[in-house]
Amino acid sequence: SSGINAEWPLRPGGLVSKLVHLDHPLLHVPTLAIHLNRSVNESFQFNKENELVPVLGLIEEQLNDEKSLNAKEKQQQHFHRHHNSTLMNLLSEELECTADKIMGFDLCMADYTAAGLGGIKEEFIMAPRQDNLVNAWAGVEALVLHATGDSFSSSPNCAVLCLYDHEEVGSTSAHGAQTELTNLVLGRIAGDKLPQCIATSFLLSADQVHAVHPNYTSKHEGSFRPQLNGGVTIKHNSNQRYATTAMGAALIRQLARQNDLPLQEVMVRNDSSCGSTIGPLISAKTGLRTLDLGCPQLSMHSIREMGGTEDAYYAVQLYTAFYSQFGELDRASSDD
């Protein structure tokens, strides 16, 4: 079952954007029972238009009740005619406004089942959207730890955390990794020193990694099989699907070694394709040296993903060390 998260512009006069979260099971997309579709285990496919419609309630007359609106109100509600009136009323109650004040929205369904720990020793995280909330959370935690640490006040470095939207649909948006906003923000921070700052800066593109699956070990290259709870994993790809370079990987290995943190590496099989990340996009757009890495997990993009509890801890420790120690390590190194 799913709850709803949304952003709403309200009226009258000036518009204001508000966030709302309907924090209870509201919608469900029921699959067709195997008894009525015997081939489902051979080909798990859906028609996205007709077969993924969520169920909100039973009685259409009740869910689409327009009796409460007079003729003038109906005429004014051009936007509302495209949406369920009972749902609109439910949202307006949550926002403490009348339904006619809602002028538009971005609405998303999300799995309502709470995240939890699993495994015989609770060594696994069972939760949706670990790709990529794990690294987003670890990045925020690391930035806070760095900013409250003893070395922060004397650090010559500027620590930046970028959390982009729309990565799974191409990143081409005002909030995605292909936006010009990154250069604009860095320019406002660095001013006319931006070219020098770019040359001496380094970007970690942190996104989840496919852990080796115990039932499908052949899907991984034999020498590169990241394990759950084995540590943050550096990604390599000869076709530039990842932005990792030899020198960049060496620097992160040294950083992990200095902090006694485990580190893993993954290289996709030559006969297999791989997903890309925003690392190459940002690197090409900004000129930043970049390395791709992330925490290993199973069941990526499923409604219930599986990650390691220790890996989340290792990510926070590594990213904190990156903020506080990488500058000094980089200045002590040279790249011919």
Side-chain angles (χ1 to χ4, degrees), residues 34-205:
I34 191 173
H35 313 82
L36 304 178
N37 182 13
R38 292 293 181 179
S39 64
V40 66
N41 288 334
E42 300 170 10
S43 179
F44 194 65
Q45 296 180 346
F46 298 95
N47 181 291
K48 296 178 182 178
E49 177 67 22
N50 301 324
E51 298 171 352
L52 290 179
V53 179
V55 174
L56 176 64
L58 282 177
I59 310 300
E60 184 176 356
E61 288 80 4
Q62 292 180 1
L63 289 179
N64 294 284
D65 181 19
E66 294 186 355
K67 295 178 181 178
S68 59
L69 297 177
N70 59 40
K72 182 179 179 180
E73 289 172 329
K74 289 181 181 180
Q75 186 178 9
Q76 292 174 338
Q77 298 307 307
H78 169 76
F79 168 74
H80 287 205
R81 288 202 300 270
H82 300 288
H83 302 286
N84 179 276
S85 59
T86 301
L87 177 60
M88 295 295 291
N89 290 332
L90 183 62
L91 293 165
S92 67
E93 291 174 7
E94 189 72 21
L95 288 165
E96 298 182 345
C97 71
T98 57
D100 66 294
K101 295 295 191 297
I102 299 173
M103 300 298 293
F105 53 76
D106 288 324
L107 183 147
C108 297
M109 293 172 55
D111 179 28
Y112 187 75
T113 307
L117 299 179
I120 195 168
K121 296 181 179 179
E122 294 191 335
E123 62 265 56
F124 304 129
I125 301 172
M126 311 294 194
R129 302 182 299 283
Q130 294 187 58
D131 176 46
N132 190 35
L133 291 181
V134 168
N135 291 289
W137 168 82
V140 172
E141 289 289 306
L143 187 61
V144 171
L145 288 173
H146 170 60
T148 55
D150 296 335
S151 63
F152 178 73
S153 59
S154 60
S155 174
N157 304 312
C158 179
V160 178
L161 174 67
C162 298
L163 302 176
Y164 295 99
D165 203 351
H166 304 144
E167 187 265 340
E168 298 294 354
V169 292
S171 297
T172 305
S173 71
H175 308 125
Q178 296 212 60
T179 179
E180 291 292 338
L181 185 62
T182 305
N183 283 327
L184 294 174
V185 171
L186 293 178
R188 292 181 65 182
I189 294 172
D192 59 4
K193 301 292 186 182
L194 180 61
Q196 296 96 310
C197 290
I198 290 292
T200 56
S201 295
F202 197 94
L203 169 71
L204 293 184
S205 171

Side-chain angles (χ1 to χ4, degrees), residues 289-325:
R289 294 177 295 161
T290 303
L291 178 135
D292 275 290
L293 80 178
C295 296
Q297 69 164 79
L298 296 174
S299 301
M300 189 177 293
H301 292 186
S302 74
I303 197 67
R304 217 68 191 156
E305 297 176 341
M306 181 176 176
T309 54
E310 294 179 22
D311 290 326
Y313 168 79
Y314 293 143
V316 173
Q317 298 305 305
L318 181 63
Y319 302 162
T320 303
F322 174 77
Y323 279 132
S324 60
Q325 303 171 27

